[in-house]
Amino acid sequence: MLDLRTILIFVAAIVLCVVVGIAYYQLVVKERSGDKHAGAVNAAPDDNAPVRDKGAGAAFLRRLRTAVSRRGLSLVQPDPAKSPFAALIVGPYGITAVYAVDYCGTIYGSTDPEWVQMKDGVRRTFENPLRSAENARRQLREVINQGGFRPFLIDARVVLASGKAELAIPRSINYYTAKSFADYVMDSPDLGNDRKVDEEKLKAFLQEKFC
């Protein structure tokens, strides 16, 4: 027959196993089940990918659609498999390509090649979205040049779309939040310049190539 000390040791061992199992589930299994990947539309699905704020991208696009509509412009939403941009704003002035990043946690940004996300004590890095957006803008320009359009503005803007992110980024870095970008769309004179771009033709071209 087991004595009291043996029984207590046995019970403690069971409790320890349960605690370890719960901790493993929270830190590994649950995280891999879907609380990660995306951010910039084409973020790679690997174990080091930053954690995103679920639904932040959709909420941002709803706000963006409203602002674009009120400004009298057009919005094209590319297939993520065909373009890293979350949206392309089209108007008589040209195109504003929107590079959306919806990572949560604390985001540390600078002019360095990589930015950092800290969440739940885990440090992850990702490519500086300003560089990513500029590279994607150049690729977009190359595609549009194939359409025979007269030269016009093709701009790219980086938006940190998650309202849950804490941003540790200098003011000198050119980025937007979801709110400040919607305000930019509504108020910026840049989007009001009439460069005689055939908006409907350009929109149809973009939809053919990227949607």
Side-chain angles (χ1 to χ4, degrees), residues 84-158:
F85 290 115
L88 302 171
I89 302 173
V90 182
Y93 71 94
I95 295 174
T96 300
V98 184
Y99 194 92
V101 180
D102 61 354
Y103 299 150
C104 52
T106 302
I107 306 299
Y108 297 89
S110 65
T111 57
D112 291 342
E114 291 187 334
W115 286 16
V116 174
Q117 178 200 50
M118 289 293 297
K119 187 176 187 301
D120 298 331
V122 178
R123 182 182 187 276
R124 298 178 174 88
T125 60
F126 58 100
E127 184 179 31
N128 184 330
L130 298 174
R131 296 189 177 200
S132 302
E134 176 56 22
N135 290 334
R137 187 194 69 82
R138 292 175 182 175
Q139 294 171 3
L140 176 62
R141 165 71 75 183
E142 291 179 1
V143 174
I144 291 175
N145 285 344
Q146 301 169 12
F149 295 95
R150 60 184 296 178
F152 58 82
L153 174 70
I154 301 179
D155 192 18
R157 303 284 170 154
V158 172

Side-chain angles (χ1 to χ4, degrees), residues 27-49:
L27 294 177
V28 179
V29 176
K30 187 175 181 181
E31 173 138 331
R32 290 182 179 176
S33 67
D35 286 345
K36 59 191 298 184
H37 313 316
V41 176
N42 63 340
D46 58 61
D47 287 341
N48 295 319

Side-chain angles (χ1 to χ4, degrees), residues 13 23 83 87 91 122 144 196 205:
S83 173
V122 178
I144 291 175
K196 309 302 180 182
F205 177 84

